[in-house]
C-alpha cells in the first residue's frame, strides 16, 4: 500500500494557522512551532495552501514567483527547516501548485504586456471585437473574464480575478517552466502537490460559449484532451522520478471525467477532489442554498465511492464553510455532530483530508459587515448582487452561510487574546467562540472533538479494513447513512445519524466506537450519533 493511501492529510492555511513573530499574519515558523501538536493528532502529510510571493488579490492563489517564499510567511531557510523538522516526525510536506494562472505581478506577465516580448504567448492576449471583449465567457468570480490593457491595446483572459491572468498551455515553453517549478520543490524535499483547478488549464478554443447561468465558455476548457496530455507529460517527465503524489482540485467533474483523471492506468493524477457532495445543499451555484438533505449527500458520496478506485475525501477546505455549521448542528449538537462528521471522513474509502480547525470543531463566523470580509470571491459576488438588486437581508444570509472567510478565521489555540493565534491584531477577525472552542481546552478533555479525532485516526491506522477494505453502501435516508468496509473475513459497519433526533437501530455486531462513548445505548442512536460495529464472521 502506498504511503499516501495509508496516511491522513492535514491542510494548513498558513496565513491563519499560527503567527510566530506577532505581526498578525500566520507564518512558517508558526507551523514549525506546532509540529508536535500535529504529530500528536496523528497526521502524516501537511498540505500547505500557497506560501509563495503574491500580492494577495486571492491570498496566495495569485502567485508572483513560484520559486520563493512570501516574506509574510518567512524565508526559504524557514521552509527548509519546516521540511526537515517534519521529516523527523515522519510528516511529509505537500505544496499547492497553482498553474492555471499567475499573478499579474509575475515577471512573465509583466513582460508579456509588450506585444514584441517572447513572453507575450505565455498568456492569452487577444484583440477585442467591435463591441468589446474577444468572447462571451464569464469568470468564476461572477464577472467577465477579459481585461483590457491600455499599454498593449489588447485584452488578456482570466478565469478568476482580473489580477489572475490564465497561462497559455498551447505554448510548450509554459509547460517547461512548470516542469521546472515542480522539480525545484521536489528536489527541496516536498512530497507532492495539490493541483489547483487542474482540469481547466487547457483551453481548446477561444470561441464564444453557449450561454449558461454559470461559466459560459466552459465547454472550451473543462476536461479537454489537452489537459490530459499535459498531466501525462508532467507525470512522465517530472513526478515519476520522485516518491510523491498529486491530488487534483477538479471543478465540475463527473465520476466519468474523474476516472479519466485519476485512474491508475491513465498515469495522470493520483487522486482528485470532486465537488458533487459539496453541491448537494445548493441550487446551481453555492450562493443559493437549499436545506441540507442527508440522503442526497449520502447518495452522492456512495456514487463516488463506487465509481472511483481511490478518492480524496474531504468535508472542508479553505474555500468551504465549516462542516459542523453546514452538515451538523453548531448550536444544539455541536460536539456530537462534529464527531459524527469525523467518523464519516475517516471511514470512507480513500485518503482523508482534514482542514485546520475541523479537528476542534471550529464553526462559521456569522459575518454582518462587508469590512469584516477579506475574500475576493465574496466581494465580487456582492458587487454582482448589487446589479441584480438582491435585497440586503438575503444577501447577508448568503454571505454568512457561504463566504470562504468562514474557513479562514484564525486557528483557535487557547482562550488568551486573539485565541492564542498572535499577540497582534490578526489580519482577519477571530471567531468570538474561541473562549469555548479552542485546542487547549480540548487537549485536556478525553471527551472532546479533538480527542475523538485522535481516536478515529488511530483506529484507522490500526485497522487495515478502514484503509484497503472494499466499500459497501447499505442505506442513505433522511436520517441515516450506513455503509460497510470489508477486507477478507473482516466486515465493519459504519452508521451515521445525520438527524437531531434519536433513531432506533439494531446491529448484532460488537460496537467498536461510538461518538457518545459510554453513553451509547444498545438498539438506539442518539442525535448525530455515529457508531462503528464489527460484523465479521470469523
Ligand atoms: O471557492 C469556490 C467556491 O466557493 C470555487 O468556485 C473555487 O473558486 C474553485 O473551487 C477554485 O478554487 C481554487 O482556485 C481559486 C482559488 O480562489 C481557490 O482558493 C482555490 O482553492 C483560484 O486559484
Ligand atoms: Ca507572522
Amino acid at each position: 500500500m502506498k504511503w499516501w493511501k495509508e496516511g491522513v492529510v492535514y491542510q494548513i492555511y498558513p496565513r491563519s494557522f499560527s503567527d510566530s513573530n506577532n505581526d498578525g499574519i500566520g507564518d512558517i515558523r508558526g507551523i514549525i512551532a506546532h509540529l508536535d501538536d500535529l504529530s500528536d493528532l496523528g497526521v502524516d502529510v501537511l498540505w500547505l495552501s500557497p506560501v509563495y510571493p503574491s500580492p494577495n488579490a486571492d491570498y496566495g492563489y495569485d502567485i508572483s514567483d513560484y520559486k520563493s517564499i512570501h516574506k509574510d510567511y518567512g524565508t526559504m531557510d524557514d521552509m527548509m527547516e519546516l521540511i526537515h523538522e517534519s521529516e523527523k516526525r515522519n510528516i511529509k510536506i505537500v505544496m499547492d501548485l497553482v498553474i492555471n494562472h499567475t499573478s499579474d505581478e509575475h515577471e512573465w506577465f509583466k513582460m508579456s504586456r509588450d506585444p514584441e516580448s517572447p513572453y507575450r504567448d505565455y498568456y492569452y492576449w487577444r484583440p477585442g471585437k467591435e463591441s468589446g471583449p474577444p468572447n462571451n465567457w464569464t469568470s468564476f468570480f461572477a464577472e467577465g473574464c477579459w481585461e483590457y490593457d491600455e499599454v498593449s491595446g489588447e485584452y488578456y483572459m482570466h478565469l478568476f480575478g482580473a489580477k489572475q491572468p490564465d497561462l497559455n498551455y498551447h505554448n510548450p515553453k509554459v509547460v517547461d517552466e512548470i516542469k521546472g517549478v515542480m522539480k525545484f520543490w521536489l528536489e527541496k524535499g516536498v512530497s507532492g502537490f495539490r493541483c489547483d483547478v487542474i482540469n481547466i488549464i487547457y483551453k481548446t478554443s477561444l470561441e464564444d460559449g453557449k450561454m449558461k447561468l454559470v461559466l459560459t465558455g466552459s465547454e472550451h476548457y473543462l476536461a479537454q484532451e489537452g489537459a490530459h496530455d499535459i498531466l501525462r507529460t508532467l507525470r512522465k517527465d517530472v513526478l515519476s522520478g520522485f516518491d510523491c503524489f498529486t491530488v487534483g482540485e477538479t471543478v465540475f467533474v463527473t465520476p466519468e471525467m474523474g476516472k479519466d483523471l485519476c485512474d491508475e492506468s491513465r498515469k495522470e493524477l493520483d487522486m482528485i477532489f470532486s465537488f458533487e457532495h459539496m453541491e448537494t445543499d445548493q441550487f446551481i451555484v453555492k450562493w443559493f442554498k437549499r436545506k441540507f438533505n442527508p440522503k442526497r449527500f449520502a447518495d452522492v458520496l456512495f456514487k463516488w465511492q463506487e465509481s472511483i478506485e481511490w478518492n480524496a475525501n474531504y468535508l472542508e477546505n479553505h474555500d468551504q464553510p465549516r462542516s459542523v455549521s453546514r452538515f451538523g448542528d453548531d448550536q444544539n449538537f455541536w460536539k456530537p455532530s462534529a464527531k459524527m462528521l469525523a467518523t464519516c471522513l475517516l471511514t470512507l474509502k480513500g485518503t482523508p483530508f482534514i482542514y485546520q480547525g475541523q479537528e476542534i470543531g471550529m464553526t462559521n463566523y456569522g459575518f454582518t459587515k462587508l469590512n469584516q470580509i477579506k475574500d475576493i470571491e465574496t466581494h465580487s459576488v456582492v458587487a454582482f448582487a448589487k446589479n441584480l438588486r438582491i435585497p440586503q437581508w438575503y444577501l447577508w444570509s448568503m454571505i454568512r452561510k457561504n463566504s470562504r472567510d468562514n474557513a479562514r478565521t484564525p486557528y483557535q489555540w487557547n482562550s488568551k487574546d486573539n485565541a492564542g493565534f498572535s499577540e497582534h491584531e490578526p489580519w482577519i477577525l477571530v471567531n468570538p467562540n474561541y473562549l469555548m472552542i479552542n485546542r487547549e481546552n480540548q487537549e485536556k478533555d478525553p471527551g472532546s472533538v479533538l480527542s475523538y479525532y485522535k481516536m478515529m485516526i488511530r483506529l484507522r491506522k490500526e485497522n487495515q479494513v478502514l484503509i484497503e477494505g472494499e466499500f459497501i453502501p447499505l442505506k442513505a435516508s433522511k436520517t441515516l447513512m450506513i455503509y460497510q468496509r470489508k477486507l477478507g473475513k473482516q466486515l465493519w459497519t459504519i452508521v451515521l445519524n445525520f438527524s437531531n433526533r434519536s433513531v432506533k437501530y439494531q446491529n448484532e455486531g460488537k460496537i467498536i466506537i461510538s461518538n457518545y462513548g459510554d453513553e451509547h445505548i444498545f438498539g438506539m442512536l442518539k442525535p448525530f450519533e455515529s457508531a462503528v460495529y464489527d460484523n465479521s464472521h470469523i
Side-chain angles (χ1 to χ4, degrees):
M1 232 331 105
K2 301 215 170 68
W3 58 265
W4 50 266
K5 292 193 171 177
E6 303 211 302
V8 174
V9 186
Y10 186 88
Q11 182 192 351
I12 292 186
Y13 192 74
R15 205 171 182 79
S16 299
F17 190 63
S18 174
D19 176 16
S20 71
N21 62 344
N22 295 311
D23 60 356
I25 300 173
D27 45 55
I28 292 171
R29 303 210 70 83
I31 304 174
I32 297 175
H34 287 290
L35 281 175
D36 286 334
D37 292 328
L38 293 163
S39 144
D40 193 40
L41 174 61
V43 298
D44 308 276
V45 181
L46 304 178
W47 147 30
L48 307 188
S49 276
V51 286
Y52 318 96
S54 161
N56 284 336
D58 191 10
Y59 288 105
Y61 287 89
D62 49 326
I63 297 171
S64 54
D65 177 2
Y66 286 101
K67 295 185 182 169
S68 55
I69 299 290
H70 197 305
K71 60 178 178 6
D72 283 355
Y73 303 132
T75 62
M76 192 58 86
D77 285 344
D78 294 335
M79 187 65 206
M80 292 314 293
E81 192 175 324
L82 174 64
I83 295 173
H84 293 134
E85 285 299 313
S86 303
E87 209 174 352
K88 285 188 199 157
R89 295 163 177 85
N90 283 320
I91 293 178
K92 295 185 194 304
I93 302 288
V94 161
M95 300 288 271
D96 217 311
L97 190 71
V98 187
I99 58 171
N100 175 66
H101 44 269
T102 67
S103 162
D104 66 339
E105 296 182 29
H106 194 291
E107 282 306 312
W108 303 338
F109 187 77
K110 287 198 215 157
M111 293 190 282
S112 87
R113 286 205 135 106
D114 169 5
E116 301 306 315
S117 156
Y119 288 91
R120 186 70 168 178
D121 204 27
Y122 272 43
Y123 297 87
Y124 292 105
W125 285 100
R126 293 290 183 279
K129 286 191 192 155
E130 327 70 59
S131 50
N135 69 27
N136 66 349
W137 298 7
T138 52
S139 90
F140 279 69
F141 290 159
E143 48 185 23
C145 69
W146 291 95
E147 191 74 10
Y148 184 68
D149 184 57
E150 294 286 344
V151 184
S152 55
E154 287 190 336
Y155 290 80
Y156 66 85
M157 207 253 295
H158 59 91
L159 286 183
F160 292 87
K163 283 183 68 64
Q164 295 165 290
D166 281 47
L167 283 165
N168 171 16
Y169 279 91
H170 291 262
N171 183 350
K173 281 196 222 136
V174 170
V175 181
D176 283 343
E177 296 272 13
I178 298 304
K179 285 186 198 167
V181 169
M182 293 169 80
K183 269 200 198 116
F184 176 85
W185 288 105
L186 290 164
E187 279 164 3
K188 291 208 176 298
V190 314
S191 302
F193 301 100
R194 174 268 188 189
C195 311
D196 195 67
V197 292
I198 199 71
N199 61 330
I200 62 170
I201 59 174
Y202 191 85
K203 285 80 184 171
T204 302
S205 92
L206 295 182
E207 279 161 38
D208 277 344
K210 276 195 261 55
M211 293 292 267
K212 282 186 299 194
L213 282 169
V214 277
L215 292 182
T216 294
S218 61
E219 68 273 26
H220 298 293
Y221 57 78
L222 191 61
Q224 303 293 300
E225 208 34 57
H228 291 294
D229 290 341
I230 289 165
L231 286 172
R232 281 193 291 268
T233 305
L234 296 178
R235 171 85 158 239
K236 182 162 108 350
D237 296 353
V238 184
L239 296 157
S240 62
F242 296 84
D243 182 19
C244 65
F245 79 87
T246 52
V247 53
E249 187 215 24
T250 49
V251 288
F252 300 103
V253 277
T254 60
E256 289 64 43
M257 292 173 173
K259 261 183 250 170
D260 289 346
L261 287 159
C262 70
D263 196 86
E264 241 179 82
S265 63
R266 304 271 306 179
K267 299 199 167 14
E268 297 187 14
L269 296 161
D270 292 307
M271 297 179 264
I272 59 163
F273 291 124
S274 59
F275 281 70
E276 208 181 336
H277 64 301
M278 298 303 245
E279 292 163 353
T280 54
D281 62 347
Q282 73 186 34
F283 290 111
I284 307 171
V285 288
K286 71 172 199 174
W287 300 98
F288 299 110
K289 278 271 178 282
R290 57 171 155 178
K291 195 166 177 289
F292 173 57
N293 175 339
K295 175 165 168 38
R296 213 179 300 131
F297 183 73
D299 279 336
V300 167
L301 282 175
F302 286 174
K303 177 173 82 182
W304 281 86
Q305 287 279 302
E306 288 187 285
S307 39
I308 299 280
E309 194 39 48
W310 194 263
N311 283 277
N313 297 314
Y314 73 101
L315 299 174
E316 282 184 30
N317 62 38
H318 65 291
D319 291 336
Q320 300 288 340
R322 290 292 184 175
S323 59
V324 65
S325 303
R326 181 177 184 185
F327 309 129
D329 178 342
D330 65 4
Q331 297 298 308
N332 304 307
F333 295 99
W334 167 72
K335 197 189 277 188
S337 60
K339 291 183 185 177
M340 182 274 288
L341 292 166
T343 313
C344 177
L345 180 67
L346 291 157
T347 58
L348 288 171
K349 186 174 180 200
T351 301
F353 286 72
I354 299 172
Y355 178 66
Q356 70 179 43
Q358 183 178 350
E359 79 285 13
I360 55 170
M362 281 177 61
T363 67
N364 282 353
Y365 182 90
F367 299 104
T368 51
K369 292 193 207 75
L370 211 48
N371 66 7
Q372 298 171 328
I373 306 247
K374 305 284 180 194
D375 180 27
I376 180 176
E377 188 200 44
T378 308
H379 284 284
S380 312
V381 161
V382 169
F384 190 71
K386 253 198 196 127
N387 302 332
L388 296 181
R389 304 196 183 186
I390 291 181
Q392 282 293 309
W393 67 268
Y394 187 70
L395 179 66
W396 277 99
S397 89
M398 294 189 336
I399 293 174
R400 263 195 295 281
K401 287 195 193 104
N402 299 302
S403 175
R404 306 197 295 187
D405 280 353
N406 280 308
R408 301 179 183 182
T409 61
Y411 190 92
Q412 294 163 208
W413 292 102
N414 55 42
S415 55
K416 296 197 194 111
D417 286 354
N418 306 318
F421 163 75
S422 173
E423 286 169 22
H424 185 283
E425 187 187 331
W427 72 281
I428 189 170
L429 293 168
V430 176
N431 194 317
N433 66 16
Y434 74 93
L435 292 172
M436 201 260 299
I437 301 176
N438 67 61
R439 181 156 185 137
E440 196 177 74
N441 280 346
Q442 299 193 23
E443 208 68 80
K444 295 176 235 154
D445 172 8
S448 67
V449 177
L450 178 65
S451 301
Y452 188 77
Y453 263 92
K454 290 184 192 172
M455 275 190 290
M456 282 307 301
I457 293 172
R458 203 175 321 123
L459 189 70
R460 194 186 148 86
K461 292 238 156 93
E462 290 169 358
N463 294 280
Q464 207 59 21
V465 62
L466 288 182
I467 296 171
E468 280 176 82
E470 181 194 339
F471 180 90
I472 307 168
L474 287 187
K475 180 179 174 129
S477 77
K478 258 193 182 153
T479 46
L480 297 183
M481 173 170 175
I482 308 179
Y483 48 91
Q484 291 179 315
R485 303 294 306 277
K486 183 172 187 293
L487 184 66
K489 286 182 178 157
Q490 254 196 318
L491 181 66
W492 285 20
T493 307
I494 295 99
V495 189
L496 309 164
N497 179 3
F498 271 89
S499 80
N500 57 6
R501 284 172 290 124
S502 294
V503 181
K504 274 201 192 125
Y505 175 78
Q506 290 282 2
N507 187 304
E508 300 309 315
K510 181 172 142 264
I511 184 140
I512 295 169
I513 189 169
S514 151
N515 60 347
Y516 275 83
D518 295 341
E519 289 169 47
H520 169 76
I521 298 171
F522 182 73
M524 169 97 149
L525 293 168
K526 296 193 172 183
F528 294 103
E529 179 164 354
S530 63
V532 180
Y533 300 90
D534 189 348
N535 293 107
S536 313
H537 303 286
I538 303 178

